[in-house]
Amino acid sequence: MIATAALWSVPLSGQALAHARLVEATPEINSTIAASPTEIQLRFSESIEARFSDIDLSGPDGAKITTDIAVHDKDMVAPVSRPLAPGVYQVDWHVLSADGHKVKGNFKFEVRP
């Protein structure tokens, strides 16, 4: 009985770890950059669904900066709609991975003059 339970748990543990995770971001997570970025780029560990994925960019005052996104396979790109003034910005993202798992996260970067 215990051996059977152990055999069933192996495939389930692999599935639990299968959802998309953020593997690369530009600007880099917690980085300080010298110039305003022209876009936010996120790369995930697996394909994501465009209809259920998004990026929200907030400025130093907490105001949202409108961005559109484009998704291609594992990559999500959001052009920055205007030059960013010096300050700390937050990127909030959420995705639906191709396997159906919802994942979200956030990070900050700083623009210095």
Side-chain angles (χ1 to χ4, degrees):
M1 182 80 166
I2 294 174
T4 303
L7 286 175
W8 282 104
S9 67
V10 171
L12 294 176
S13 65
Q15 288 177 348
L17 299 173
H19 51 280
R21 67 183 190 288
L22 182 63
V23 295
E24 186 178 347
T26 304
E28 291 182 17
I29 297 169
N30 299 322
S31 64
T32 299
I33 57 177
S36 176
T38 57
E39 61 187 16
I40 307 297
Q41 300 176 355
L42 305 180
R43 172 164 284 178
F44 294 89
S45 58
E46 67 178 66
S47 297
I48 57 175
E49 297 290 332
R51 292 186 327 190
F52 303 104
S53 301
D54 203 4
I55 293 173
D56 290 320
L57 178 62
S58 300
D61 60 357
K64 300 265 188 218
I65 298 165
T66 305
T67 59
D68 293 322
I69 66 157
V71 172
H72 180 70
D73 192 31
K74 300 177 183 182
D75 298 318
M76 183 163 49
V77 177
V80 176
S81 59
R82 60 177 169 80
L84 302 179
V88 176
Y89 292 81
Q90 179 159 319
V91 176
D92 293 295
W93 56 267
H94 65 272
V95 298
L96 177 68
S97 30
D99 67 3
H101 287 100
K102 295 178 182 178
V103 184
K104 64 181 179 177
N106 61 59
F107 65 91
K108 294 181 179 185
F109 67 90
E110 182 177 3
V111 177
R112 285 215 177 144

